[in-house]
Amino acid sequence: MKYFLLLLIIFLPISLLSQDMDDNMVISDQQSTYTYVIENNRVVVKENQDVTYSCAKNVQPVKFYRFYDVNSEITKIKVKGVKASSPQYGTYTKENIFYDDSKICHLDLYFKDKNAAGTVTYEKKYKDVYGFSFINIIETHFIKNKTIRIIVPEWMEVDVIENSFNPGISKSVNADPKSGSTIYTYRIENQPAYKYEDAMPDYLLTFPTIQVIPRKALINKKTEEFFDSFDHLYKWCKSKVDLVDNDLTAIAQLAKEITKNSESDEDKINALLNWVQNNIRYIAFEYGIQSFKPDEAQSVARKKYGDCKGMSNLLKCLLQAEGFDARLVWINTTETGREWTQPVPSADHMICGLQYNDEFYFLDPTVKFMPFGEIAYPIQGKMAMVEDGDQYLMLRTPSFPPSHNATRLVGEYVIEEGKLKGRSELSFSGEAKYAMTSLIRYTTKSDTDMYLKNYLKGNNPADSIFEMDVKGIDVDSKSLSVSYQELRPSCLRSFSDEMYINPDVFNDFAALSIDTLKRKNDYAFPFSQNLMTTIRIAIPEGYRIKNIPDDMEIATDDYQFSIRYTVDDNSVLYHKEITIKNTTIPKTGFGQWNRNIGLLKKAYVRQITFEKMTNEIERI
């Protein structure tokens, strides 16, 4: 359910989705006012903005964007000071996401001279108070000065929460002596422009925002409650679910067909979960109340696509048809950034819950090849609101350690004809397994073989991979493994009577230095993870060990790098382990991270040295 993210996008004064940002332009002044009013016995919010752009360097056009939907409308937009194109109104779309009710109004400002200034005046009305909950602060242009005012009349009760504020933002709260309204005023100075970067944390974890929670209003001497408690929130969410008209007879027939070969209840659960995961294509679909109203189960099954709500509703109906206690679950993912402590519709995802054998399980049908009993990293350890008739349950999803998302490599090598020759097995579990299984199952065999061989070569074209055997490709498998034979001329070189060996061809994380001059945001890994490599190299006959590299051990609260060597009479054992515990590296930790990556690189290039034994050496 991407409704929460859609709300955030709609509230962005300038589209953060446009990455062709012009640093030559700045916002010299912006005045934004949000006022609660009553129209036709309903609470609406009116937004008024004056945004002044100035040329800082070169004269270039400025693109101005505003979003709206079926529950909001743009009532005024005009430009003064510069020439501008006529406002264009249309449907907003993004690849793989269908925002059917999200519209965009946009125009271009044309500046003739340096230091010229142009102002856009903009008015918008939120016809549903439920749809107004976030105000962003940063823009896609540098902000010199910006003022945000939220005017709350005496008859309206809201909570205003500030997130990720920095020293350039100040706040004051005053009462208007005439109207009695409470006025929240935020003054913003010298805020850098929004810059998108790969592997950055979610917007709400990175940038300052204002969250406005409508609690209740007194309208014509009658109190109307909005999100005054989680009870109100659940009733609001449940009312959207209750609008769904599922054809339970058709779904029961489908469930019986899917489970006809299942021998146990757990087999049935796996079969139904896997069927939805792998037969329904996930899309994000948002349309008015569809943002929280699931599509009918039979419709999703017929169309073979749906969003998280439609897929979860289908899975719930299939499980219930087979006699299981299945419920819908509203949950926050890591994309929403924060703990769900406020009763607002911030849940950006819906999954299915299952009460089974006195335990509660969370099933996400949008994640392909994830077996029963596992959950994806973005919803681990999150508070979830679970359907329970007219009541609800607040449950926390389980968390798994980094070892759950594991990559394991075990290899045995001998030296023959100047090459390392051996057999290895590479296995994946958790998030790594889901990704690798998808690649294999959705790629032709020839393309899969080519990809796997190139991957296993570790960017060493001289090496050879053959006799690959893939196991665990079944959808309910807990792990996937690839075993293979290999010849590694890239790992061994000889000089005189000595051989030099680099056993590790993957050099994991060696290229992950962070550019501290260009990088603006924290660095975020997609999930915690654990990589372990164990390689045994037989000491060739007539040789002995001359040099073994020193062990390396780096341990912080957030990650760990370890390389160790063990020697016995017949072999050398190379053991590497990398663990990412905290998925975010803050900008303050970039220096230490880069120094540690430098040490890891040096450890990778150190070589095991074998020397040939001569009679003189043997006598010594």
Side-chain angles (χ1 to χ4, degrees), residues 98-332:
F98 300 82
Y99 292 136
D100 273 22
D101 73 333
S102 182
K103 309 296 182 181
I104 185 170
C105 171
H106 59 96
L107 55 81
D108 292 324
L109 308 179
Y110 300 102
F111 292 78
K112 291 183 178 180
D113 303 310
K114 185 179 178 182
N115 299 322
T119 301
V120 181
T121 298
Y122 159 84
E123 294 180 3
K124 177 179 177 179
K125 181 168 70 176
Y126 298 91
K127 296 181 287 186
D128 187 344
V129 71
Y130 289 102
F132 174 72
S133 59
F134 271 88
I135 304 170
N136 82 300
I137 288 177
I138 67 163
E139 309 281 353
T140 50
H141 298 279
F142 181 87
I143 300 171
K144 286 187 177 181
N145 294 288
K146 179 177 182 177
T147 301
I148 296 174
R149 296 180 183 87
I150 306 170
I151 301 176
V152 184
E154 288 184 302
W155 48 263
M156 184 72 194
E157 183 179 330
V158 304
D159 279 350
V160 181
I161 300 172
E162 297 87 28
N163 300 315
S164 304
F165 272 26
N166 59 51
I169 306 171
S170 62
K171 171 190 175 183
S172 64
V173 181
N174 300 288
D176 186 329
K178 293 183 178 180
S179 65
S181 298
T182 300
I183 303 176
Y184 298 82
T185 303
Y186 298 88
R187 301 193 186 280
I188 299 101
E189 295 180 343
N190 299 324
Q191 296 293 307
Y194 171 87
K195 299 287 186 182
Y196 173 80
E197 294 176 308
D198 290 334
M200 63 183 289
D202 184 73
Y203 180 88
L204 289 180
L205 290 174
T206 307
F207 303 107
T209 59
I210 300 170
Q211 185 177 11
V212 186
I213 305 171
R215 297 301 191 190
K216 60 181 71 173
L218 184 63
I219 306 174
N220 294 331
K221 298 182 180 182
K222 182 179 179 182
T223 299
E224 181 175 352
E225 296 175 328
F226 303 112
F227 298 128
D228 195 39
S229 67
F230 273 96
D231 288 336
H232 296 128
L233 174 61
Y234 176 70
K235 289 177 182 177
W236 185 82
C237 294
K238 185 69 162 57
S239 68
K240 307 302 180 284
V241 170
D242 290 342
L243 295 172
V244 179
D245 185 17
N246 295 311
D247 185 344
L248 300 182
T249 300
I251 295 303
Q253 293 175 349
L254 176 60
K256 288 188 180 299
E257 177 64 24
I258 294 170
T259 60
K260 63 182 180 182
N261 296 321
S262 300
E263 298 180 356
S264 65
D265 283 347
E266 190 162 324
D267 289 341
K268 290 182 178 180
I269 295 169
N270 256 317
L272 295 171
L273 172 61
N274 294 331
W275 189 90
V276 179
Q277 286 175 336
N278 301 300
N279 287 276
I280 306 300
R281 182 169 66 93
Y282 170 77
I283 63 170
F285 176 80
E286 312 295 350
Y287 180 75
I289 59 173
Q290 288 284 343
S291 298
F292 272 79
K293 174 185 174 294
D295 197 2
E296 278 73 18
Q298 67 276 8
S299 177
V300 175
R302 173 180 54 81
K303 294 184 295 187
K304 292 294 189 293
Y305 69 80
D307 68 351
C308 61
K309 302 181 297 298
M311 295 176 73
S312 295
N313 177 55
L314 172 58
L315 178 58
K316 169 192 168 181
C317 293
L318 288 169
L319 288 166
Q320 288 182 338
E322 289 297 303
F324 295 105
D325 182 1
R327 297 105 174 273
L328 294 178
V329 179
W330 296 264
I331 190 169
N332 287 311

Side-chain angles (χ1 to χ4, degrees), residues 20 44 203 241 264 440 500 540 545 605:
D20 295 326
V44 302
Y203 180 88
V241 170
S264 65
I440 292 174
Y500 306 92
I545 297 172
V605 299

